[in-house]
Amino acid sequence: GPKVLQIPSHQIIDMGQMVTLNCDPVSNHLYFYWYKQILGQQMEFLVNFYNGKVMEKSKLFKDQFSVERPDGSYFTLKIQPTALEDSAVYFCASSLDRVEQYFGPGTRLTVL
Amino acid sequence: AQSVTQPDARVTVSEGASLQLRCKYSYSATPYLFWYVQYPRQGLQLLLKYYSGDPVVQGVNGFEAEFSKSNSSFHLRKASVHWSDSAVYFCAVSIQGRGGSNYKLTFGKGTLLTVTP
């Protein structure tokens, strides 16, 4: 099936640093999502993005978070500055029809 | 607010036995319904989906799920499990978010399935 790629697979950073998580969505998809999964818990919606704009964000999407997809390249999630509670696995998803979402393998972020 | 409940955090079955993983949702309308599987260190893979019509939907690898509007449920079933089915299974619902042009998934907490020899 369609593949979503995420780079890197694992990132370790010190608290207060900036981090950018990269997602390479399915090539013809138009809708993009980020979800957060804390170890042992359910995956939770962060934000979705369409036509260059954030369509909806959850309360987990703090002011320190931002997303963009410049010139149709990677869909990125930037956290600046990071906090300890940002440690989680972040999953990117993309969709063509807004409903069926395809997920990447996740980026495990560890904030020390 | 909508929610998804998977009442069984862990399920253990013997290889070759039948399986049912339970999922109930709370939402005023019928959402789109999904089951995803997550293997260790991998992303989510879609097993099956329900949009409308026949309440029993077939998925990959012999999985099926049955939608019940009266029970607000979408239980996953398999007639005979294999050791390779050991994974975490997530039930999810999709509803239209604010803004009118996007949908977001709400997930249950997942059920860890262990298939024993």
Side-chain angles (χ1 to χ4, degrees):
Chain A
K3 295 286 189 184
V4 176
L5 305 177
Q6 290 187 242
I7 302 164
S9 58
H10 195 177
Q11 180 88 49
I12 302 173
I13 59 171
D14 291 322
M15 183 176 60
Q17 284 189 314
M18 181 195 75
V19 67
T20 300
L21 309 183
N22 298 292
C23 172
D24 187 9
V26 178
S27 60
N28 62 336
H29 284 187
L30 302 173
Y31 302 88
F32 311 106
Y33 305 79
W34 283 103
Y35 292 83
K36 177 182 180 181
Q37 185 182 36
I38 295 174
L39 184 65
Q41 299 185 24
Q42 69 209 88
M43 196 171 304
E44 293 189 272
F45 168 79
L46 278 178
V47 65
N48 56 17
F49 189 86
Y50 168 74
N51 198 25
K53 294 183 293 187
V54 170
M55 301 306 296
E56 184 179 359
K57 53 188 180 182
S58 74
K59 61 182 185 302
L60 298 178
F61 194 80
K62 303 181 298 184
D63 291 342
Q64 298 88 332
F65 289 27
S66 62
V67 291
E68 64 177 355
R69 191 182 187 218
D71 302 321
S73 59
Y74 287 153
F75 175 51
T76 63
L77 173 65
K78 182 186 293 185
I79 309 174
Q80 181 178 27
T82 52
L84 294 177
E85 60 265 26
D86 296 331
S87 293
V89 181
Y90 291 84
F91 290 94
C92 171
S94 70
S95 177
L96 180 62
D97 64 1
R98 301 178 297 165
V99 180
E100 187 169 336
Q101 297 177 27
Y102 292 85
F103 285 80
T107 293
R108 181 176 299 278
L109 176 65
T110 302
V111 182
L112 303 176
Chain B
Q2 70 281 352
S3 65
V4 179
T5 302
Q6 294 180 249
D8 305 308
R10 296 172 181 265
V11 170
T12 300
V13 297
S14 300
E15 191 166 25
S18 63
L19 169 72
Q20 176 171 279
L21 301 182
R22 296 181 291 166
C23 172
K24 297 200 73 171
Y25 65 90
S26 173
Y27 189 60
S28 57
T30 299
Y32 299 121
L33 298 158
F34 304 84
W35 275 98
Y36 284 88
V37 60
Q38 185 178 31
Y39 297 102
R41 295 173 297 280
Q42 297 186 29
L44 296 177
Q45 298 175 28
L46 181 65
L47 274 180
L48 44 76
K49 61 194 178 194
Y50 174 80
Y51 289 177
S52 64
D54 189 336
V56 179
V57 292
Q58 304 296 322
V60 299
N61 296 334
F63 285 94
E64 68 175 28
E66 183 167 5
F67 164 67
S68 171
K69 186 173 183 178
S70 59
N71 293 325
S72 297
S73 66
F74 190 55
H75 300 330
L76 180 70
R77 302 190 298 240
K78 187 171 184 179
S80 176
V81 297
H82 186 264
W83 64 267
S84 60
D85 293 326
S86 295
V88 180
Y89 292 78
F90 291 97
C91 180
V93 304
S94 175
I95 58 170
Q96 188 171 18
R98 294 189 295 273
S101 63
N102 62 83
Y103 291 75
K104 61 182 179 182
L105 287 168
T106 298
F107 287 87
K109 292 187 175 181
T111 297
L112 173 62
L113 173 65
T114 302
V115 180
T116 59

